[in-house]
């Protein structure tokens, strides 16, 4: 059948207190039966081993002992044998290193014992996070901690120095980002202000041109009218001149009022522009001040912590 992947199938790889009986041994993985199944031909094997056989034979089960071909409906869970195996006594994996622990397979978590309490398990130093490379049995770590106190202290100081450099670099990076954003905002404000100024100047020039054009047209019209009536009698001319003068004065007054009104609007636009400039400058200053205290606060907190360590 070929070799099997132990991560995908197999029984209990444990050290039993007594020699494992043949009836409890899987003929495929040669370990203690895990979730045993019983075939119609009377043989037992691990459930995962039976699944691997079916997978490798395209859905057909071939008994590894007598080569009987069965379908999956002819394989049954063997709960009686499973209970018997789970009651077997087992030893710690570190029994060769003098660990005296024993317990039942069904109630004792072997990996938990080895990981959490066995004195002979190889574990890394508790100061692994600051760079200590020591690995040894759990019972050796107290001696290691006492003898390596100065080394651990030096590693901790180096770790703190590296952290300080990282914090400083982070602060500098944040300051550069803030400065860049402030510059970008200032440039945007200046572009907006320039655009508003150009728009206002363009409207003022257009209005001045329009007023001048109307004034010229009116003067031409008046001149033409005066010339057409020069041949009439003096009284009519005088009356006409007075009427024309009155009309001109009225039109001039109206034009002056319109010009004054436009100038008032222009002055109001200019005042609004100054208010916008002041508001944008204040908003930029406020945003800048809001970001700075958090950075300096983290730097002061770190300095205070550094003084306490010294």
């Amino acid at each position: 059948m070929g070799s099997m992947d132990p991560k995908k199938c197999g029984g209990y790889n444990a050290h039993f207190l007594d020699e494992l009986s043949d009836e409890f041994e899987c003929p495929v993985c040669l370990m203690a039966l895990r979730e045993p199944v019983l075939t119609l031909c009377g043989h037992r094997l691990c459930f995962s081993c039976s699944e691997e056989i079916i997978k490798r034979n395209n859905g057909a089960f071939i008994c590894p002992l007598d080569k009987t071909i069965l379908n999956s409906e002819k394989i049954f869970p063997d709960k009686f044998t499973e209970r018997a195996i789970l009651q077997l006594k087992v030893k710690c994996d570190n029994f060769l290193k003098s660990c005296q622990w024993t317990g039942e397979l069904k109630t004792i978590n072997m990996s938990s014992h080895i990981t959490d309490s066995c004195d002979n398990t190889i574990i890394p130093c508790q100061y692994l996070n600051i760079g200590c490379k020591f690995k040894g049995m759990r019972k050796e770590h107290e001696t290691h901690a006492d003898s390596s106190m100065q080394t651990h202290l030096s590693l901790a100081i180096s770790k703190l120095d590296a952290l300080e450099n990282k914090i400083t670099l982070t602060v500098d990076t944040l300051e550069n980002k803030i400065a860049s954003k402030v510059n970008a905002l200032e440039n945007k404000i200046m572009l907006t202000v320039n655009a508003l100024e150009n728009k206002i100047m363009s409207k003022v020039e257009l209005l001045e041109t329009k007023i001048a054009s109307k004034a010229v047209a009116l003067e031409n019209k008046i001149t033409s009218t005066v010339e057409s009536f020069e041949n009439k009698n003096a009284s009519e001319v005088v009356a006409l001149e007075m009427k024309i003068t009155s009309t001109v004065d009225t039109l001039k007054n109206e034009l002056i009022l319109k010009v004054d009104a436009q100038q008032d609007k222009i002055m109001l636009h200019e005042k609004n522009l100054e208010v916008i400039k002041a508001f944008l400058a204040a908003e930029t200053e406020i945003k800048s001040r809001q970001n700075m205290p958090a950075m300096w606060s983290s730097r002061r907190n770190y300095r205070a912590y550094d003084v306490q360590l010294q």
Side-chain angles (χ1 to χ4, degrees):
M1 187 179 66
S3 61
M4 289 191 174
D5 186 352
K7 294 182 179 179
K8 295 181 179 179
C9 62
Y12 294 107
N13 185 20
H15 300 282
F16 292 92
L17 201 60
D18 299 317
E19 185 177 355
L20 187 65
S21 171
D22 290 342
E23 64 178 322
F24 294 154
E25 183 178 271
C26 176
V28 178
C29 65
L30 303 180
M31 291 186 290
L33 291 164
R34 186 193 298 268
E35 298 179 336
V37 294
L38 180 64
T39 67
L40 191 63
C41 57
H43 299 119
R44 295 183 180 86
L45 64 159
C46 298
F47 172 76
S48 58
C49 292
S50 69
E51 290 291 299
E52 186 70 14
I53 291 173
I54 293 172
K55 179 181 177 181
R56 294 190 180 199
N57 290 283
N58 297 320
F61 175 82
I62 301 176
C63 179
L65 296 178
D66 60 14
K67 307 304 180 183
T68 299
I69 300 176
L70 302 170
N71 58 41
S72 58
E73 296 178 354
K74 304 299 182 180
I75 302 172
F76 310 95
D78 189 347
K79 295 297 183 181
F80 178 81
T81 300
E82 183 177 19
R83 285 192 295 270
I85 292 174
L86 290 175
Q87 291 174 352
L88 296 176
K89 296 284 187 178
V90 293
K91 298 182 286 186
C92 175
D93 284 350
N94 291 321
F95 74 96
L96 294 177
K97 299 177 182 178
S98 302
C99 182
Q100 300 300 315
W101 177 90
T102 61
E104 288 187 355
L105 187 60
K106 69 177 180 180
T107 58
I108 303 299
N109 186 334
M110 285 292 296
S111 61
S112 175
H113 164 70
I114 294 172
T115 303
D116 301 333
S117 61
C118 182
D119 286 339
N120 297 286
T121 299
I122 303 296
I123 59 174
C125 177
Q126 61 179 321
Y127 298 110
L128 176 66
N129 62 331
I130 63 172
C132 184
K133 303 298 184 182
F134 174 80
K135 287 185 179 181
M137 291 187 291
R138 185 175 277 108
K139 61 187 178 182
E140 299 173 342
H141 277 254
E142 184 175 355
T143 302
H144 164 70
D146 292 339
S147 63
S148 303
M149 186 177 299
Q150 186 61 42
T151 300
H152 291 158
L153 181 60
S154 298
L155 289 172
I157 292 173
S158 298
K159 185 86 170 183
L160 288 174
D161 290 339
L163 182 60
E164 181 180 6
N165 293 334
K166 185 176 181 180
I167 291 173
T168 301
L169 181 61
T170 301
V171 169
D172 291 341
T173 301
L174 287 173
E175 288 178 346
N176 291 335
K177 285 183 178 180
I178 290 172
S180 177
K181 287 185 177 181
V182 168
N183 290 334
L185 184 59
E186 289 178 348
N187 292 335
K188 187 175 181 180
I189 291 170
M190 290 303 300
L191 289 175
T192 303
V193 170
N194 291 335
L196 287 173
E197 289 178 345
N198 292 334
K199 189 174 182 180
I200 291 171
M201 290 301 298
S202 176
K203 287 187 176 181
V204 169
E205 290 174 357
L206 181 62
L207 182 60
E208 289 176 347
T209 301
K210 188 174 182 180
I211 291 172
S213 177
K214 286 187 177 182
V216 171
L218 182 59
E219 288 179 356
N220 292 335
K221 185 176 181 180
I222 290 170
T223 301
S224 176
T225 302
V226 170
E227 290 176 352
S228 66
F229 284 97
E230 283 181 348
N231 296 325
K232 289 188 177 181
N233 59 58
S235 60
E236 289 181 348
V237 170
V238 171
L240 183 59
E241 287 179 348
M242 291 177 64
K243 187 176 181 180
I244 291 172
T245 300
S246 177
T247 302
V248 169
D249 291 338
T250 301
L251 290 173
K252 285 183 177 180
N253 290 333
E254 289 179 357
L255 286 174
I256 290 171
L257 290 175
K258 288 182 179 181
V259 169
D260 290 340
Q262 292 298 327
Q263 288 179 344
D264 290 340
K265 288 183 179 181
I266 291 170
M267 291 179 65
L268 180 60
H269 282 307
E270 290 177 346
K271 288 181 179 179
N272 289 337
L273 181 59
E274 291 298 324
V275 171
I276 291 171
K277 288 180 179 180
F279 175 78
L280 292 176
E283 186 178 17
T284 303
E285 180 66 18
I286 289 171
K287 289 183 178 179
S288 177
R289 290 182 178 179
Q290 285 176 342
N291 290 325
M292 291 303 292
M295 296 183 293
W296 289 114
S297 175
S298 63
R299 182 175 290 182
R300 288 197 298 270
N301 290 339
Y302 173 75
R303 293 301 180 188
Y305 175 71
D306 187 43
V307 170
Q308 290 177 3
L309 287 178
Q310 293 177 358

